[in-house]
């Protein structure tokens, strides 16, 4: 059976290795298909390469946004590229303290394995925003390893009962 592109219907689909992952890629529209986790990983790597940041940072953006309570400002969060420690700027949905509480708890639990402590700060960037960034210490830091740990912790924790956030005052 000849593979067909899920996006455009083309039959010009080839199985190829992308970053060590075997996927099908459409020769017409460039869409990837195959294992959803592998497709997502390749998309993260490609986006990170375009922005000049670690792929794990893109994964952390996706994990935060998947909660439904955070909207990442990707422009501010990727502005420094690899030249500075990561800083994830985001806005919080309602009820904001509930969402921040869950995120802070995940950071606390993941902090046992990260090379630096990570914290949430309030900043003003033309409007009130929050930023997730490491608190710098005197030891060498492995940012990509920390970002991967935080991404995975967030993905894991959001599946647990204590992470669930109910509607805010007034039902939403």
């Amino acid at each position: 059976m000849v593979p067909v592109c899920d996006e455009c219907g083309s039959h010009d689909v080839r199985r190829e290795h992308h970053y060590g992952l075997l996927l099908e890629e459409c020769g017409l529209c460039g869409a990837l298909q195959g294992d959803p986790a592998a497709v997502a990983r390749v998309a993260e790597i490609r986006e990170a390469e375009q922005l000049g940041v670690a792929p794990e940072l893109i994964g952390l953006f996706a994990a935060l946004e998947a909660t439904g309570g955070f909207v990442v400002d990707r422009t501010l969060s990727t502005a420094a590229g690899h030249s500075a420690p990561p800083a994830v700027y985001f806005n919080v949905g309602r009820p904001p303290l509930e969402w921040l509480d869950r995120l802070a708890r995940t950071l606390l639990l993941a902090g046992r394995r990260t090379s630096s402590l990570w914290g949430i700060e309030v900043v003003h960037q033309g409007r009130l925003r929050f930023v997730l960034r490491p608190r710098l210490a005197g030891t060498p830091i492995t940012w990509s390893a920390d970002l991967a740990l935080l991404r995975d912790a967030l993905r894991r924790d959001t599946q647990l009962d204590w992470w669930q956030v109910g509607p805010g005052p007034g039902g939403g």
Side-chain angles (χ1 to χ4, degrees), residues 67-71 90-102 127-128 130 163-172:
T67 66
F70 303 101
V71 177
F90 60 93
N91 294 321
V92 183
R94 296 193 183 277
L97 292 179
E98 296 278 335
W99 288 109
L100 292 169
D101 172 71
R102 301 322 189 267
R127 61 182 270 203
L128 192 64
F130 296 90
W163 232 99
Q164 303 313 306
V165 175

PDB file of all heavy atoms in Angstrom, residues 67-71 90-102 127-128 130 163-172:
ATOM      1  N   THR A  67      -1.615  22.884  29.697  1.00  0.00           N
ATOM      2  CA  THR A  67      -2.363  22.888  30.953  1.00  0.00           C
ATOM      3  C   THR A  67      -3.683  23.634  30.813  1.00  0.00           C
ATOM      4  O   THR A  67      -4.615  23.402  31.575  1.00  0.00           O
ATOM      5  CB  THR A  67      -1.570  23.568  32.091  1.00  0.00           C
ATOM      6  OG1 THR A  67      -1.419  24.957  31.794  1.00  0.00           O
ATOM      7  CG2 THR A  67      -0.226  22.899  32.322  1.00  0.00           C
ATOM      8  N   GLY A  68      -3.750  24.572  29.865  1.00  0.00           N
ATOM      9  CA  GLY A  68      -4.935  25.398  29.705  1.00  0.00           C
ATOM     10  C   GLY A  68      -4.928  26.642  30.579  1.00  0.00           C
ATOM     11  O   GLY A  68      -5.820  27.473  30.473  1.00  0.00           O
ATOM     12  N   GLY A  69      -3.906  26.791  31.429  1.00  0.00           N
ATOM     13  CA  GLY A  69      -3.865  27.933  32.339  1.00  0.00           C
ATOM     14  C   GLY A  69      -2.781  28.943  32.043  1.00  0.00           C
ATOM     15  O   GLY A  69      -2.728  29.997  32.670  1.00  0.00           O
ATOM     16  N   PHE A  70      -1.900  28.622  31.089  1.00  0.00           N
ATOM     17  CA  PHE A  70      -0.771  29.500  30.796  1.00  0.00           C
ATOM     18  C   PHE A  70      -0.688  29.784  29.303  1.00  0.00           C
ATOM     19  O   PHE A  70      -0.928  28.902  28.486  1.00  0.00           O
ATOM     20  CB  PHE A  70       0.550  28.869  31.251  1.00  0.00           C
ATOM     21  CG  PHE A  70       0.570  28.512  32.709  1.00  0.00           C
ATOM     22  CD1 PHE A  70       0.382  27.211  33.125  1.00  0.00           C
ATOM     23  CD2 PHE A  70       0.756  29.497  33.666  1.00  0.00           C
ATOM     24  CE1 PHE A  70       0.386  26.876  34.476  1.00  0.00           C
ATOM     25  CE2 PHE A  70       0.749  29.180  35.022  1.00  0.00           C
ATOM     26  CZ  PHE A  70       0.568  27.869  35.422  1.00  0.00           C
ATOM     27  N   VAL A  71      -0.325  31.015  28.976  1.00  0.00           N
ATOM     28  CA  VAL A  71      -0.064  31.395  27.592  1.00  0.00           C
ATOM     29  C   VAL A  71       1.358  31.948  27.558  1.00  0.00           C
ATOM     30  O   VAL A  71       1.650  32.968  28.194  1.00  0.00           O
ATOM     31  CB  VAL A  71      -1.062  32.451  27.087  1.00  0.00           C
ATOM     32  CG1 VAL A  71      -0.718  32.881  25.660  1.00  0.00           C
ATOM     33  CG2 VAL A  71      -2.486  31.923  27.164  1.00  0.00           C
ATOM     34  N   PHE A  90       5.189  34.389  30.587  1.00  0.00           N
ATOM     35  CA  PHE A  90       3.849  33.860  30.355  1.00  0.00           C
ATOM     36  C   PHE A  90       2.801  34.684  31.077  1.00  0.00           C
ATOM     37  O   PHE A  90       3.096  35.445  31.987  1.00  0.00           O
ATOM     38  CB  PHE A  90       3.757  32.392  30.797  1.00  0.00           C
ATOM     39  CG  PHE A  90       4.052  32.151  32.254  1.00  0.00           C
ATOM     40  CD1 PHE A  90       3.021  32.128  33.187  1.00  0.00           C
ATOM     41  CD2 PHE A  90       5.347  31.937  32.695  1.00  0.00           C
ATOM     42  CE1 PHE A  90       3.290  31.897  34.536  1.00  0.00           C
ATOM     43  CE2 PHE A  90       5.624  31.705  34.033  1.00  0.00           C
ATOM     44  CZ  PHE A  90       4.589  31.690  34.959  1.00  0.00           C
ATOM     45  N   ASN A  91       1.568  34.522  30.609  1.00  0.00           N
ATOM     46  CA  ASN A  91       0.390  35.091  31.255  1.00  0.00           C
ATOM     47  C   ASN A  91      -0.376  33.927  31.873  1.00  0.00           C
ATOM     48  O   ASN A  91      -0.237  32.775  31.439  1.00  0.00           O
ATOM     49  CB  ASN A  91      -0.486  35.838  30.254  1.00  0.00           C
ATOM     50  CG  ASN A  91       0.216  37.052  29.701  1.00  0.00           C
ATOM     51  OD1 ASN A  91       0.919  37.746  30.429  1.00  0.00           O
ATOM     52  ND2 ASN A  91       0.050  37.292  28.424  1.00  0.00           N
ATOM     53  N   VAL A  92      -1.199  34.237  32.854  1.00  0.00           N
ATOM     54  CA  VAL A  92      -1.924  33.208  33.588  1.00  0.00           C
ATOM     55  C   VAL A  92      -3.423  33.406  33.420  1.00  0.00           C
ATOM     56  O   VAL A  92      -3.922  34.529  33.492  1.00  0.00           O
ATOM     57  CB  VAL A  92      -1.566  33.258  35.097  1.00  0.00           C
ATOM     58  CG1 VAL A  92      -2.250  32.144  35.857  1.00  0.00           C
ATOM     59  CG2 VAL A  92      -0.064  33.184  35.289  1.00  0.00           C
ATOM     60  N   GLY A  93      -4.137  32.293  33.211  1.00  0.00           N
ATOM     61  CA  GLY A  93      -5.596  32.332  33.104  1.00  0.00           C
ATOM     62  C   GLY A  93      -6.238  32.408  34.480  1.00  0.00           C
ATOM     63  O   GLY A  93      -5.568  32.509  35.507  1.00  0.00           O
ATOM     64  N   ARG A  94      -7.543  32.352  34.498  1.00  0.00           N
ATOM     65  CA  ARG A  94      -8.291  32.414  35.755  1.00  0.00           C
ATOM     66  C   ARG A  94      -8.578  31.018  36.253  1.00  0.00           C
ATOM     67  O   ARG A  94      -8.878  30.155  35.439  1.00  0.00           O
ATOM     68  CB  ARG A  94      -9.584  33.178  35.545  1.00  0.00           C
ATOM     69  CG  ARG A  94      -9.316  34.610  35.186  1.00  0.00           C
ATOM     70  CD  ARG A  94     -10.597  35.420  35.287  1.00  0.00           C
ATOM     71  NE  ARG A  94     -10.381  36.771  34.895  1.00  0.00           N
ATOM     72  CZ  ARG A  94      -9.890  37.707  35.682  1.00  0.00           C
ATOM     73  NH1 ARG A  94      -9.575  37.441  36.914  1.00  0.00           N
ATOM     74  NH2 ARG A  94      -9.714  38.930  35.250  1.00  0.00           N
ATOM     75  N   PRO A  95      -8.488  30.774  37.505  1.00  0.00           N
ATOM     76  CA  PRO A  95      -8.053  31.613  38.625  1.00  0.00           C
ATOM     77  C   PRO A  95      -6.519  31.615  38.714  1.00  0.00           C
ATOM     78  O   PRO A  95      -5.903  30.562  38.872  1.00  0.00           O
ATOM     79  CB  PRO A  95      -8.690  30.938  39.843  1.00  0.00           C
ATOM     80  CG  PRO A  95      -8.826  29.500  39.457  1.00  0.00           C
ATOM     81  CD  PRO A  95      -9.021  29.476  37.968  1.00  0.00           C
ATOM     82  N   PRO A  96      -5.895  32.782  38.606  1.00  0.00           N
ATOM     83  CA  PRO A  96      -4.441  32.845  38.485  1.00  0.00           C
ATOM     84  C   PRO A  96      -3.668  32.256  39.652  1.00  0.00           C
ATOM     85  O   PRO A  96      -2.650  31.590  39.445  1.00  0.00           O
ATOM     86  CB  PRO A  96      -4.152  34.339  38.321  1.00  0.00           C
ATOM     87  CG  PRO A  96      -5.370  35.044  38.802  1.00  0.00           C
ATOM     88  CD  PRO A  96      -6.519  34.104  38.611  1.00  0.00           C
ATOM     89  N   LEU A  97      -4.119  32.485  40.881  1.00  0.00           N
ATOM     90  CA  LEU A  97      -3.369  31.938  42.022  1.00  0.00           C
ATOM     91  C   LEU A  97      -3.415  30.419  42.049  1.00  0.00           C
ATOM     92  O   LEU A  97      -2.441  29.771  42.461  1.00  0.00           O
ATOM     93  CB  LEU A  97      -3.875  32.531  43.335  1.00  0.00           C
ATOM     94  CG  LEU A  97      -3.575  34.014  43.519  1.00  0.00           C
ATOM     95  CD1 LEU A  97      -4.146  34.517  44.845  1.00  0.00           C
ATOM     96  CD2 LEU A  97      -2.093  34.291  43.427  1.00  0.00           C
ATOM     97  N   GLU A  98      -4.495  29.844  41.596  1.00  0.00           N
ATOM     98  CA  GLU A  98      -4.594  28.380  41.525  1.00  0.00           C
ATOM     99  C   GLU A  98      -3.563  27.827  40.542  1.00  0.00           C
ATOM    100  O   GLU A  98      -2.860  26.865  40.831  1.00  0.00           O
ATOM    101  CB  GLU A  98      -6.004  27.954  41.092  1.00  0.00           C
ATOM    102  CG  GLU A  98      -7.085  28.334  42.071  1.00  0.00           C
ATOM    103  CD  GLU A  98      -7.202  27.359  43.223  1.00  0.00           C
ATOM    104  OE1 GLU A  98      -6.821  26.182  43.052  1.00  0.00           O
ATOM    105  OE2 GLU A  98      -7.656  27.778  44.288  1.00  0.00           O
ATOM    106  N   TRP A  99      -3.469  28.452  39.353  1.00  0.00           N
ATOM    107  CA  TRP A  99      -2.515  27.986  38.348  1.00  0.00           C
ATOM    108  C   TRP A  99      -1.079  28.162  38.831  1.00  0.00           C
ATOM    109  O   TRP A  99      -0.245  27.273  38.661  1.00  0.00           O
ATOM    110  CB  TRP A  99      -2.726  28.739  37.032  1.00  0.00           C
ATOM    111  CG  TRP A  99      -3.970  28.345  36.312  1.00  0.00           C
ATOM    112  CD1 TRP A  99      -5.096  29.105  36.160  1.00  0.00           C
ATOM    113  CD2 TRP A  99      -4.241  27.099  35.672  1.00  0.00           C
ATOM    114  NE1 TRP A  99      -6.040  28.389  35.461  1.00  0.00           N
ATOM    115  CE2 TRP A  99      -5.543  27.163  35.140  1.00  0.00           C
ATOM    116  CE3 TRP A  99      -3.514  25.927  35.489  1.00  0.00           C
ATOM    117  CZ2 TRP A  99      -6.121  26.110  34.437  1.00  0.00           C
ATOM    118  CZ3 TRP A  99      -4.090  24.873  34.788  1.00  0.00           C
ATOM    119  CH2 TRP A  99      -5.376  24.972  34.270  1.00  0.00           C
ATOM    120  N   LEU A 100      -0.794  29.322  39.430  1.00  0.00           N
ATOM    121  CA  LEU A 100       0.558  29.571  39.924  1.00  0.00           C
ATOM    122  C   LEU A 100       0.918  28.612  41.054  1.00  0.00           C
ATOM    123  O   LEU A 100       2.067  28.157  41.158  1.00  0.00           O
ATOM    124  CB  LEU A 100       0.699  31.020  40.375  1.00  0.00           C
ATOM    125  CG  LEU A 100       0.647  32.054  39.254  1.00  0.00           C
ATOM    126  CD1 LEU A 100       0.527  33.459  39.831  1.00  0.00           C
ATOM    127  CD2 LEU A 100       1.858  31.929  38.343  1.00  0.00           C
ATOM    128  N   ASP A 101      -0.059  28.278  41.907  1.00  0.00           N
ATOM    129  CA  ASP A 101       0.177  27.323  42.978  1.00  0.00           C
ATOM    130  C   ASP A 101       0.586  25.966  42.413  1.00  0.00           C
ATOM    131  O   ASP A 101       1.534  25.347  42.895  1.00  0.00           O
ATOM    132  CB  ASP A 101      -1.089  27.175  43.831  1.00  0.00           C
ATOM    133  CG  ASP A 101      -0.957  26.038  44.833  1.00  0.00           C
ATOM    134  OD1 ASP A 101      -0.179  26.178  45.797  1.00  0.00           O
ATOM    135  OD2 ASP A 101      -1.617  24.992  44.627  1.00  0.00           O
ATOM    136  N   ARG A 102      -0.110  25.499  41.385  1.00  0.00           N
ATOM    137  CA  ARG A 102       0.200  24.190  40.793  1.00  0.00           C
ATOM    138  C   ARG A 102       1.592  24.198  40.167  1.00  0.00           C
ATOM    139  O   ARG A 102       2.371  23.275  40.348  1.00  0.00           O
ATOM    140  CB  ARG A 102      -0.831  23.792  39.736  1.00  0.00           C
ATOM    141  CG  ARG A 102      -2.279  23.684  40.153  1.00  0.00           C
ATOM    142  CD  ARG A 102      -2.507  23.095  41.528  1.00  0.00           C
ATOM    143  NE  ARG A 102      -3.909  22.835  41.790  1.00  0.00           N
ATOM    144  CZ  ARG A 102      -4.748  23.661  42.391  1.00  0.00           C
ATOM    145  NH1 ARG A 102      -4.345  24.852  42.787  1.00  0.00           N
ATOM    146  NH2 ARG A 102      -6.002  23.310  42.612  1.00  0.00           N
ATOM    147  N   ARG A 127       3.152  45.329  30.348  1.00  0.00           N
ATOM    148  CA  ARG A 127       2.000  44.880  31.130  1.00  0.00           C
ATOM    149  C   ARG A 127       2.502  43.833  32.111  1.00  0.00           C
ATOM    150  O   ARG A 127       3.621  43.350  32.000  1.00  0.00           O
ATOM    151  CB  ARG A 127       0.900  44.319  30.234  1.00  0.00           C
ATOM    152  CG  ARG A 127       1.317  43.108  29.421  1.00  0.00           C
ATOM    153  CD  ARG A 127       0.223  42.619  28.527  1.00  0.00           C
ATOM    154  NE  ARG A 127      -0.570  41.645  29.270  1.00  0.00           N
ATOM    155  CZ  ARG A 127      -1.298  40.726  28.703  1.00  0.00           C
ATOM    156  NH1 ARG A 127      -1.376  40.642  27.403  1.00  0.00           N
ATOM    157  NH2 ARG A 127      -1.969  39.863  29.421  1.00  0.00           N
ATOM    158  N   LEU A 128       1.697  43.493  33.069  1.00  0.00           N
ATOM    159  CA  LEU A 128       2.101  42.536  34.089  1.00  0.00           C
ATOM    160  C   LEU A 128       2.238  41.149  33.467  1.00  0.00           C
ATOM    161  O   LEU A 128       1.344  40.683  32.769  1.00  0.00           O
ATOM    162  CB  LEU A 128       1.058  42.500  35.211  1.00  0.00           C
ATOM    163  CG  LEU A 128       1.463  41.768  36.478  1.00  0.00           C
ATOM    164  CD1 LEU A 128       2.640  42.468  37.140  1.00  0.00           C
ATOM    165  CD2 LEU A 128       0.293  41.690  37.433  1.00  0.00           C
ATOM    166  N   PHE A 130       4.435  37.093  34.084  1.00  0.00           N
ATOM    167  CA  PHE A 130       5.184  36.213  34.964  1.00  0.00           C
ATOM    168  C   PHE A 130       6.341  35.644  34.162  1.00  0.00           C
ATOM    169  O   PHE A 130       6.272  35.540  32.942  1.00  0.00           O
ATOM    170  CB  PHE A 130       4.291  35.087  35.490  1.00  0.00           C
ATOM    171  CG  PHE A 130       3.174  35.604  36.348  1.00  0.00           C
ATOM    172  CD1 PHE A 130       1.951  35.941  35.783  1.00  0.00           C
ATOM    173  CD2 PHE A 130       3.343  35.770  37.708  1.00  0.00           C
ATOM    174  CE1 PHE A 130       0.919  36.437  36.555  1.00  0.00           C
ATOM    175  CE2 PHE A 130       2.321  36.274  38.496  1.00  0.00           C
ATOM    176  CZ  PHE A 130       1.108  36.601  37.921  1.00  0.00           C
ATOM    177  N   TRP A 163      -3.332  18.625  40.520  1.00  0.00           N
ATOM    178  CA  TRP A 163      -3.039  19.658  39.535  1.00  0.00           C
ATOM    179  C   TRP A 163      -4.301  20.230  38.920  1.00  0.00           C
ATOM    180  O   TRP A 163      -4.286  21.272  38.275  1.00  0.00           O
ATOM    181  CB  TRP A 163      -2.149  19.104  38.419  1.00  0.00           C
ATOM    182  CG  TRP A 163      -0.936  19.961  38.189  1.00  0.00           C
ATOM    183  CD1 TRP A 163       0.310  19.735  38.666  1.00  0.00           C
ATOM    184  CD2 TRP A 163      -0.856  21.176  37.422  1.00  0.00           C
ATOM    185  NE1 TRP A 163       1.166  20.730  38.261  1.00  0.00           N
ATOM    186  CE2 TRP A 163       0.474  21.640  37.487  1.00  0.00           C
ATOM    187  CE3 TRP A 163      -1.756  21.929  36.711  1.00  0.00           C
ATOM    188  CZ2 TRP A 163       0.911  22.794  36.873  1.00  0.00           C
ATOM    189  CZ3 TRP A 163      -1.326  23.091  36.085  1.00  0.00           C
ATOM    190  CH2 TRP A 163       0.000  23.504  36.171  1.00  0.00           C
ATOM    191  N   GLN A 164      -5.416  19.560  39.072  1.00  0.00           N
ATOM    192  CA  GLN A 164      -6.651  20.008  38.429  1.00  0.00           C
ATOM    193  C   GLN A 164      -7.125  21.317  39.041  1.00  0.00           C
ATOM    194  O   GLN A 164      -7.177  21.476  40.249  1.00  0.00           O
ATOM    195  CB  GLN A 164      -7.730  18.935  38.552  1.00  0.00           C
ATOM    196  CG  GLN A 164      -7.304  17.585  37.969  1.00  0.00           C
ATOM    197  CD  GLN A 164      -6.659  17.671  36.604  1.00  0.00           C
ATOM    198  OE1 GLN A 164      -7.230  18.250  35.686  1.00  0.00           O
ATOM    199  NE2 GLN A 164      -5.459  17.123  36.467  1.00  0.00           N
ATOM    200  N   VAL A 165      -7.472  22.270  38.167  1.00  0.00           N
ATOM    201  CA  VAL A 165      -7.921  23.594  38.591  1.00  0.00           C
ATOM    202  C   VAL A 165      -9.392  23.723  38.224  1.00  0.00           C
ATOM    203  O   VAL A 165      -9.769  23.506  37.078  1.00  0.00           O
ATOM    204  CB  VAL A 165      -7.109  24.707  37.914  1.00  0.00           C
ATOM    205  CG1 VAL A 165      -7.664  26.084  38.263  1.00  0.00           C
ATOM    206  CG2 VAL A 165      -5.633  24.608  38.309  1.00  0.00           C
ATOM    207  N   GLY A 166     -10.198  24.097  39.215  1.00  0.00           N
ATOM    208  CA  GLY A 166     -11.626  24.289  38.973  1.00  0.00           C
ATOM    209  C   GLY A 166     -11.915  25.666  38.418  1.00  0.00           C
ATOM    210  O   GLY A 166     -11.030  26.500  38.310  1.00  0.00           O
ATOM    211  N   PRO A 167     -13.163  25.901  38.061  1.00  0.00           N
ATOM    212  CA  PRO A 167     -13.529  27.230  37.556  1.00  0.00           C
ATOM    213  C   PRO A 167     -13.369  28.288  38.631  1.00  0.00           C
ATOM    214  O   PRO A 167     -13.498  28.012  39.827  1.00  0.00           O
ATOM    215  CB  PRO A 167     -14.998  27.082  37.145  1.00  0.00           C
ATOM    216  CG  PRO A 167     -15.491  25.899  37.904  1.00  0.00           C
ATOM    217  CD  PRO A 167     -14.304  25.005  38.152  1.00  0.00           C
ATOM    218  N   GLY A 168     -13.066  29.492  38.207  1.00  0.00           N
ATOM    219  CA  GLY A 168     -12.878  30.594  39.141  1.00  0.00           C
ATOM    220  C   GLY A 168     -14.193  31.144  39.639  1.00  0.00           C
ATOM    221  O   GLY A 168     -15.267  30.606  39.353  1.00  0.00           O
ATOM    222  N   PRO A 169     -14.144  32.226  40.401  1.00  0.00           N
ATOM    223  CA  PRO A 169     -15.364  32.860  40.910  1.00  0.00           C
ATOM    224  C   PRO A 169     -16.302  33.211  39.761  1.00  0.00           C
ATOM    225  O   PRO A 169     -15.873  33.661  38.710  1.00  0.00           O
ATOM    226  CB  PRO A 169     -14.848  34.127  41.610  1.00  0.00           C
ATOM    227  CG  PRO A 169     -13.417  33.859  41.904  1.00  0.00           C
ATOM    228  CD  PRO A 169     -12.929  32.931  40.824  1.00  0.00           C
ATOM    229  N   GLY A 170     -17.563  32.969  39.939  1.00  0.00           N
ATOM    230  CA  GLY A 170     -18.534  33.267  38.903  1.00  0.00           C
ATOM    231  C   GLY A 170     -18.621  32.190  37.842  1.00  0.00           C
ATOM    232  O   GLY A 170     -19.205  32.403  36.797  1.00  0.00           O
ATOM    233  N   GLY A 171     -17.975  31.024  38.071  1.00  0.00           N
ATOM    234  CA  GLY A 171     -18.081  29.909  37.155  1.00  0.00           C
ATOM    235  C   GLY A 171     -17.093  29.924  36.018  1.00  0.00           C
ATOM    236  O   GLY A 171     -17.187  29.128  35.122  1.00  0.00           O
ATOM    237  N   GLY A 172     -16.089  30.777  36.009  1.00  0.00           N
ATOM    238  CA  GLY A 172     -15.148  30.707  34.911  1.00  0.00           C
ATOM    239  C   GLY A 172     -14.234  31.825  34.932  1.00  0.00           C
ATOM    240  O   GLY A 172     -13.369  32.137  34.375  1.00  0.00           O
TER     241      GLY A 172
END
